[in-house]
Each structure stands twice: as structure tokens, then as C-alpha cells.
Amino acid sequence: MASKSTLPLFLPLLPLFLQILIPNSHSAPLSFDFYAASCPAAELIVANTVRSASAQDPSIPGKLLRLLFHDCFVDGCDGSVLLKGNSTERTDPANQSLGGFEVIDSAKSVLEIFCPATVSCADILALAARDAVAFSGGPATQIPTGRRDSKSSSAQSVRPNIVDTSFTMAQMGRIFSSKGLSLLDLVVLSGAHTIGSAHCGAFSDRFESDSKGKLKLVDSASLDPNYASDLIKKCPAGGDTNPKVTVANDPQTSNLFDNQYYRNLVARRGLFQSDSVLVDDERTRRIVEEMAGDQERFFEAWSGSFVKLAGIGVKTGEGEGEVRASCSAVNGVV
């Protein structure tokens, strides 16, 4: 784990070392001024779209952040999760509850008016997720752009690459490691659960029915009993199939990006099994406790880990992708 003193010193140097952090073997790396000449208002247009959508629907920031995770972890940050069609990533059950697509489409529509065929959907999604965090009270993170859009999307690629809410520490660690992310990144990026909500089915594995058909905790040591009782009231037996019922990931400050998520974990109030295991493992528990006690430290760490997340498997250059005219379809397909 990086020391408390080294990470803040490193963050200002991110632009200088970006070519090392985000390698691209066949083309130039991402850059912080990629659209400076071709579409100087690109980031402002995306930001305004996210701000407007979030003002109308407070759930939008959490949806955009989750959408980026599901895009980047499956074949890289290439906008493949945005494609519609038979057997695309969007059709996999793990992606059925994703949202925020309309915000990306809205930003793309405006950008196509002012800068046609210039700004990729992959970049729009990365910028939108970045802005979603800032507009929710989190850190404003500078990220590079220049991603190109994938020309394909396969549902078969989803399950081997997505972290399930029922995963063990070992399972999560393997997937994060395969993406070039460390245990520190795992804990820090799990902090995304400080905003957003989940359907009952996402944590139903933590409960089982007793002889009378009432729900009870599978592992009473992993969850605060009062919190567990609240969850059972919101999601009674059989309620995990109701798509209209959702539970806030962080019941204390559900629309605010802060370090309350980590305080919840320390108090055994992590919604998912994949949250609770972070305090069961000594290596990650130390990081959780550090983030719980210092929000500024969390924000500093978040910026560094988010840049790494948004740089996973990016496609750059004409030979590696395209700039879609519509985010839901590859070019040339109606």
C-alpha cells in the first residue's frame, strides 16, 4: 500500500507520467489537450449535460459511475457497453440494471452539432463519470482523452470480467489485478458505492428464509443487526424480484460523494458481501480504516485510481477503433 505521504506528492505529476501509467503499444497515448484544437468545448458540453441531468434526477451520478466501471472492466474503456443489438454487452443479465445511457446520448447529440465525428463515446462516458463524482461533492479529477470507440461488443465477455456483489476478496483481487489495478485501487474504487443504489437481488445472498418463510442473516457477524433489519423491511422475502424497489448503497449520505461508505464498512453496514469482505481481510481493512478517518486522503487516492480505471485497455488511433456517430451503434449500421 502506498504511504500517506507518497500518494499526494505523486498526484501532481500524473500528466508527466501518464504515458507510463496508460501504455498504448500501437499509437500515441491519451493526452490532456486532445480536443484543444478539434473541439475545445467538448468537456464543457459533457459537464453541462451531466449537471442538467443530475439536477433533474439525483440517481444519475451513481448510474454514470457504474456504467463506466462496466465499460472499462470488459475489454477496456472503449464504449462497447453502449452498443445495442443482439448478444451485445448490454444484453447480459449483469448489465440489465445499468442506467445513464440517455445522458451519454444527449451529450453526443450536442457534440455532433458543434464538432461532428470528433469526440468518441468512450471519452464522453469517461468524462461524464468524472463529472458525476465532482457534481456529487467529490474531487474534480483531470483525466486525459483520446479514446476511440470499439467496433464490437459481446455479452460473452461480461461475466469473466465483472465483479459480482457476492464475490470474495480473492475473486475481486484476481479481477482487479488482471486490469492492472492494485489492492489499494480495489478499496479506493469500491468507494464508488458512496453514491448510487441497488436492487434487492444484488444483496439477497446475505439472507436466507427460516422455517416460517421469514428472512434472516446468513452471517450475523458480517452485518450490523439493526441495518440488516432495515434491509429486510425494504426487501422482504420474495421482494428481490421487484425491479421498482431499490436501496441506497450509503443510507447516510446517498447522493453525496464522501467517505461515509468507509465509515459504514467499519460499522458493519456495507450493503454488499463484496463490501463487507474489505474489512475481513487485514490488508484491505487498514486501507478502509484510513479512508474512513480522512476524507481528503480518500479524495486524493480516488483521483489517482480513477485515472487508472479510465485508462484500462483504451483504444487509440484509427487502427484500433472509430469515433461513432451514434453511441448505440457502430458506424455504417442503422
Side-chain angles (χ1 to χ4, degrees):
M1 184 183 74
S3 67
K4 188 170 183 178
S5 61
T6 56
L7 188 57
L9 290 174
F10 171 77
L11 284 175
L13 301 178
L14 277 175
L16 298 177
F17 291 105
L18 192 68
Q19 293 187 21
I20 299 175
L21 288 175
I22 307 176
N24 293 273
S25 58
H26 301 296
S27 53
L30 305 179
S31 66
F32 288 95
D33 58 354
F34 189 82
Y35 296 113
S38 60
C39 190
E43 295 197 22
L44 178 61
I45 290 172
V46 174
N48 286 341
T49 304
V50 173
R51 183 183 291 108
S52 177
S54 300
Q56 296 178 38
D57 181 359
S59 72
I60 287 297
K63 291 177 179 178
L64 290 173
L65 195 49
R66 183 170 179 240
L67 191 57
L68 180 69
F69 271 83
H70 280 241
D71 184 41
C72 293
F73 268 60
V74 181
D75 297 331
C77 307
D78 59 4
S80 55
V81 74
L82 305 173
L83 290 172
K84 292 181 178 180
N86 295 329
S87 300
T88 60
E89 292 172 31
R90 287 176 71 163
T91 66
D92 186 272
N95 287 337
Q96 291 295 294
S97 60
L98 290 177
F101 295 100
E102 70 281 3
V103 181
I104 306 303
D105 291 338
S106 179
K108 180 63 172 175
S109 296
V110 177
L111 286 164
E112 284 301 298
I113 294 173
F114 291 97
C115 314
T118 301
V119 183
S120 70
C121 299
D123 272 344
I124 294 172
L125 177 52
L127 291 169
R130 182 273 306 269
D131 294 336
V133 170
F135 296 154
S136 299
T141 303
Q142 185 184 21
I143 64 170
T145 48
R147 300 164 188 79
R148 291 178 70 84
D149 299 322
S150 171
K151 298 179 182 179
S152 62
S153 177
S154 173
Q156 293 183 345
S157 299
V158 176
R159 289 310 174 102
N161 292 287
I162 289 295
V163 171
D164 189 86
T165 55
S166 65
F167 271 14
T168 64
M169 187 67 235
Q171 289 173 310
M172 288 196 296
R174 281 195 294 270
I175 287 185
F176 270 73
S177 178
S178 72
K179 311 302 175 187
L181 300 173
S182 66
L183 280 180
L184 173 63
D185 296 320
L186 191 164
V187 177
V188 170
L189 293 173
S190 292
H193 289 167
T194 190
I195 57 174
S197 60
H199 292 94
C200 297
F203 54 88
S204 60
D205 60 302
R206 310 198 73 175
F207 301 91
E208 61 184 1
S209 297
D210 61 18
S211 59
K212 297 181 181 180
K214 294 184 178 181
L215 293 179
K216 65 176 182 178
L217 269 173
V218 173
D219 180 9
S220 59
S222 68
L223 208 59
D224 173 77
N226 293 325
Y227 181 51
S229 180
D230 290 340
L231 293 178
I232 290 174
K233 290 177 182 177
K234 294 177 181 178
C235 299
D240 59 339
T241 59
N242 188 342
K244 294 183 179 180
V245 178
T246 58
V247 175
N249 294 341
D250 169 13
Q252 273 69 42
T253 55
S254 58
N255 295 322
L256 182 64
F257 194 96
D258 56 13
N259 69 333
Q260 182 62 47
Y261 165 77
Y262 298 104
R263 294 174 184 160
N264 293 342
L265 294 189
V266 173
R268 294 190 299 140
R269 287 174 170 257
L271 181 60
F272 308 120
Q273 182 64 29
S274 57
D275 292 327
S276 293
V277 297
L278 296 179
V279 292
D280 293 335
D281 187 294
E282 182 180 352
R283 298 169 300 169
T284 53
R285 184 174 64 250
R286 290 198 299 266
I287 304 173
V288 168
E289 292 171 345
E290 182 179 5
M291 301 302 163
D294 189 342
Q295 180 164 285
E296 187 60 32
R297 162 65 171 156
F298 168 47
F299 283 3
E300 291 169 346
W302 172 267
S303 291
S305 293
F306 185 82
V307 169
K308 292 174 69 175
L309 168 69
I312 295 174
V314 294
K315 296 174 175 61
T316 59
E318 294 184 7
E320 295 189 6
E322 64 182 8
V323 175
R324 293 185 209 135
S326 168
C327 289
S328 61
V330 298
N331 292 339
V333 176
V334 179

